[in-house]
Amino acid sequence: MNNIAVIEQQATREDAVMAVISRAASDPAVDIDKLERLLSMQERLQASQALAAYNADMATLQAHMPSISKDAKIVVAGTVRATYASFENIVSTIRPLLDDYGFSVTFKTTFEGELLCVLGRISHRAGHSEETVIKLPFDTSGSKNDVQAIGSSVSYGKRYALCMLLNIATGGELNSSPAGPAP
């Protein structure tokens, strides 16, 4: 059975449940407990339908997801130590795909002692969402002040959470460094 047929079948079931709930709500003989159980059943059906739509669109999105080029470099004393795909590059590359398949991504940060917690959430237009959390120390490398250390960790966390949520691969390098290739 294809994705559209599954979604249509679930919509038909939800319509039938709504008709039963409507009749029950207008019948004075139906007690509140039965009505609450019917409403709970409707919520489970809606959640199931949202999950099915999420999974169908995620599978299609994954089939079109490109590898993201590493466009940024970490240079220490004139030597390239690492290359990575910047958050801006990742987002600008995938944003059209997210829009096409009804997804949005949000982030939230909290602190647990000396760790920064970055929660990434991907939500679908049908209502289902998935999330992941990455916990990081503050990036005190280089000559960063305290605020820059937190900002660097936020950027790192957002990149990694987004790549984890969407199974994004990064690779290659857009341009070479005058200092030579990364070790």
Side-chain angles (χ1 to χ4, degrees):
M1 186 177 291
N2 67 30
N3 293 337
I4 294 172
V6 169
I7 291 169
E8 287 173 351
Q9 184 181 28
Q10 288 175 335
T12 301
R13 274 187 264 155
E14 187 176 333
D15 290 344
V17 170
M18 280 304 297
V20 169
I21 291 170
S22 179
R23 283 193 305 272
S26 62
D27 183 350
V30 174
D31 64 37
I32 291 294
D33 186 49
K34 288 180 184 175
L35 189 57
E36 285 177 352
R37 286 196 310 260
L38 286 170
L39 289 170
S40 177
M41 184 170 74
Q42 179 202 18
E43 289 172 358
R44 287 192 308 274
L45 283 172
Q46 287 174 331
S48 174
Q49 186 176 3
L51 177 60
Y54 173 96
N55 286 336
D57 283 340
M58 180 58 77
T60 306
L61 171 68
Q62 289 292 308
H64 294 94
M65 187 65 66
S67 177
I68 310 293
S69 297
K70 293 182 178 183
D71 66 318
K73 299 174 180 134
I74 298 172
V75 180
V76 178
T79 302
V80 176
R81 296 293 174 118
T83 59
Y84 62 95
S86 67
F87 182 71
E88 295 80 3
N89 184 32
I90 295 169
V91 170
S92 66
T93 302
I94 68 169
R95 181 171 281 138
L97 290 169
L98 294 176
D99 292 345
D100 287 348
Y101 298 104
F103 290 99
S104 64
V105 179
T106 57
F107 299 93
K108 178 180 174 183
T109 58
T110 57
F111 297 95
E112 284 184 13
E114 295 297 313
L115 293 177
L116 171 75
C117 303
V118 178
L119 179 142
R121 178 180 293 125
I122 183 164
S123 300
H124 187 259
R125 63 181 156 222
H128 184 77
S129 64
E130 298 280 336
E131 54 189 43
T132 191
V133 174
I134 185 167
K135 296 180 180 184
L136 306 160
F138 304 136
D139 179 11
T140 58
S141 65
S143 59
K144 295 178 184 80
N145 64 36
D146 290 346
V147 174
Q148 291 168 327
I150 293 170
S152 180
S153 293
V154 168
S155 177
Y156 185 92
K158 287 169 62 175
R159 283 193 324 269
Y160 275 76
L162 182 58
C163 289
M164 289 177 356
L165 286 166
L166 292 169
N167 195 28
I168 293 173
T170 62
E173 191 173 343
L174 290 179
N175 48 30
S176 59
S177 165

